[in-house]
Amino acid sequence: YAVVCILQYKQSRTFFSFLFSASGPAEVPMMSPNGSIPPIHVPPGYVSQVLEDNTGVRRVVVTPHSECYPPSYSPALSPSHHIHPPYLTHPHFIPASHTSYYPPVSPGDMPPHQFYQHRLPPIYPEGKLHSPHALLSLNESFQMAIGDILYTFWITLDLTVCVFYRVSTVCNSVKGPSSDARAFTTHSAPPDTPLPPRLSHRTKSSLTLQWKPPADNGSKITNYVLEWDEGKKNSIFREYYVGHQRHCKVMRLCPAVGYTFRVAALNDIGTSGFSTEVVFNTTGSLPQTSLPPRLAQAGPSWVRLEWTRPNSCSIEEVVTYTLEMQDETKGLDFQAVYSGLELNRKVETLKRNTQYKFRVSEWRSAPSSLLVCKTTSDRPGPPVNPAVNAVTYHGFCVTWEPPQDDGGSGDLTYVLEISEGNLEGISEGPERKHLCEDLKPATSYFLRLSCVNVGGQSLCSDDLTVRTRIPPPGRCQPPSIVGDVKHKEMTLQWDGPLCGEESENVEFSLEMCAMEEGLEPMEVYCGSKTECTVGNLLPGTTYRFQVCAANSAGVSHPACMIQLFMNDLRNACSDLNPQNKVSSGIDISEYRLDWGCDLDSLELVYSGTETCFQIFNLEASTDYCCRLQAVNQAGAGPYSDLVTCRTPAAAPDVVSGFRHVDHPLNPTENEPFSHSTCLALTWDEPHCNGAEITSYSISMGDRIITTRSVTGHIIRDLLPDSEYSLQIRAENEMGPGPFSQTLTVRTRPLPPSPPRLECAAVGPQSLKLRWGFSSRSQLTDDTTYILQMEDRNQRFVVVYRGPSHTFKLQRLSESSRYRFRIQAVSEAGEGPFSDTYTFCTTKSLPQTLKAPRVVQLEGNACEVTWESIPPMRGDRISYVLQVLGGRDSDYKQVYKGDETSFQLSGLQWNTDYRVRVFACRRCVDTLQELCGSFSPSAHFNLRRSDATLAVEADITRVPIGKTLSDEQFAGLIVFGVASLSVLMAFLLQLLI
């Protein structure tokens, strides 16, 4: 036997058949919402057993009891036995219950006594239908008894708005009478999502679109909304058309460009979702790109550009060109500097020696590629403040300052012109100092300066006149005796200075000193002549004479000659040889001169008949002594008294030990030392040769550097990574000594410049800093970075040292400012520190709250409570409560305030709800609101109490009439179905 319930409505017929038979045993899979097995009612003579397989699926086996029914006995009815099904009442809408179980939708042949698999029904608000999908029930207790088994039926339908429904039953193709028709209307809803628009026509500048109307869901569609992305491909849509028409023409478009569209429908209930996005392209080819402009000429403040007329333009067509310029010093945006018909343009008021970018376009073409050009440098101004120092007999040093206007280019070459009579000389170079050497003494020279860059040569500075110093006379030759030596007088003669370029009159001074202890030399002659007769001499006395020259520049070094006068020598000889007294010294045949540093070191240096002798290769500023002996035919006479003398001082010896050191011997705090621009030199002090060393001169190419008498010096302002050749000499009051051997040294490369410091990420208690390569330095993999942060005492302390380019600082205070600086260190040394950077941490977000607590109150209300958060650094805390329930897909905000509880009212019975809460921080200083994360959601279901259920049961007993509600009508249907089930069970029992 089979019982078939047929639902019929005027649009189509849908059959739902339920087949039942009584032949056991049967194995029935069961399912309930909470996983428990519902109570199983079996007829007399049958037993049930629950089995569970390996997969956890529970099954119920119903078998006949052995005492009542033999195993081979199976009650059944003849297939030809027809019983008319009972009459069904009209259907009602009733809310579903959590305790209801639904049979499978599709009918079919099932084993005898099978219980059908059930599923949890959808939940609807009591007495309301919010969508076309509702639950249709055939009476509350539609039951049918087959044998001793009672079956209950529920049917779910996808309803259509404003459609009549009737219910009837079929048993073995015998159809029972249909129920009365019941009219009802589901509530309206927003339209369905429409299909995407389609293209009906397109041109180069327009697109015509059409779309079909979607299902209105019970409320007439009033408008359509067409949105587009304006061809920007940025996923940002704007409204283009709003109206009731189902077509639209989009105008003023660009050729060969794709545009994205989507459409939505509106009715009185709401707006549908937007359709899927579609892209339509206008016709035409891509716009031609203009040719880039050309640089025709450039000046310090202007450039002249030219461009070509497009080949696609006819001769009669008027073409307007737009020239755009980008100034990188002001920004990255292009600005139009010309718009017109000409094919060239002079752009003025530009900065000299500056790079600019240009592009050109005409109204229908895309901008051309970029032309990068640069203005030229201007002619610089003349150097300023020329000065002359260190003037000597053969040279001087010229210094000057750079021009006030360098013409926009810092690469200058200075030109120094020197003239003297018809002789001229030119010196060029980047240095602002020049040493003029090998000049004539006591000569006037005329100087003028100019400078040159790529823009040209500047005007010359005012002429500067310099005169070299007049040198003092050179050393005179020792005086010599003219004629015979008399008893009381003698005549001396001498030559002029050894090196005497003399421009003024020179006077000579002759000094005489008797070789007796304690006597000072006395001047016996002063004049311009080179000959003098000295009288009033004592016979047999030794005299010392020296002559020196003097002019306006100074006095020459004296020329020393030791002369022994022996007018009475013949008397001494006569005393030794009485036979030769009458000879008066005429018979002296030889003089012998002994010379040495002291008495023990005397050696014979001369033997002969001359009465004078010159000794060379003596050491300067050294004491010497000598004695003389005469020899005649009688023999050698006695030695004269010991005569002492001292050689004059001389220029210093050559400097030895000239070397380069890594660190200066006497560093100064005011002038920092850098191995890239400085050289530290040291040397050994040479022999001064009787006069204290006053200075040292270091030669470096064309540059002479004069230092004090110390044995170390630092040369500054050098070029990094450059090689220099150096020599040094010492100077005293006697003059400069010889230059030392050449020392070749090289400066180190420049230390790396500090990188730019940036804040990559910021948090309430952390800052992540990063830095990159500096444009002014060549950083290598061996570069080390030193990051410093200012502490509370305004001192910078090192927080990171290493090769990385990022560093994250932790455990900082929220909303606080921190100051940093950074430097780079390489093999060239420590680079300078960067400027100070200031970064600020953000404010902390409120913490995530725990899941709120829900307490059900009387009626359909509940109270939601949550934990509180204390104020954060003086900022107040507010809370936001959100609820998700029923068929809503998104949470809705129901409360925002300072309280930590809220009562929800007007809730629906037997409906799942979820609530969540988050905290917001109200910042007093910035008026900003910072919101934390959502708390975990709390789930609750508002259930009716027993009293409420009793009241509702009484309501269902109201007699059927015009005032019956939908719930009451549904109850009657259930009652009818139950009665029909009892009747069918009774009939089956009679047949059996």
Side-chain angles (χ1 to χ4, degrees), residues 264-300:
L266 288 78
N267 61 10
D268 294 337
I269 306 303
T271 306
S272 71
F274 279 96
S275 67
T276 56
E277 300 171 4
V278 289
V279 180
F280 300 117
N281 295 282
T282 54
T283 60
S285 57
L286 293 174
Q288 183 180 3
T289 302
S290 302
L291 294 176
R294 302 181 302 275
L295 177 64
Q297 195 175 3

Side-chain angles (χ1 to χ4, degrees), residues 16-39:
F16 297 85
S17 299
F18 303 91
L19 178 62
F20 303 91
S21 63
S23 61
E27 183 178 358
V28 184
M30 303 292 292
M31 182 180 69
S32 65
N34 57 8
S36 63
I37 298 177

Side-chain angles (χ1 to χ4, degrees), residues 397 427-428 433-437 699-704 725:
C397 184
S427 176
E428 298 182 2
K433 181 186 292 186
H434 183 71
L435 180 63
C436 302
E437 294 181 306
S699 174
M700 186 175 64
D702 296 337
R703 179 182 176 185
I704 295 295
S725 297

Side-chain angles (χ1 to χ4, degrees), residues 42 225 439 481 508 571 715 723:
V42 297
V225 179
L439 304 180
I481 301 174
F508 300 97
N571 295 330
I715 304 178
E723 189 175 84

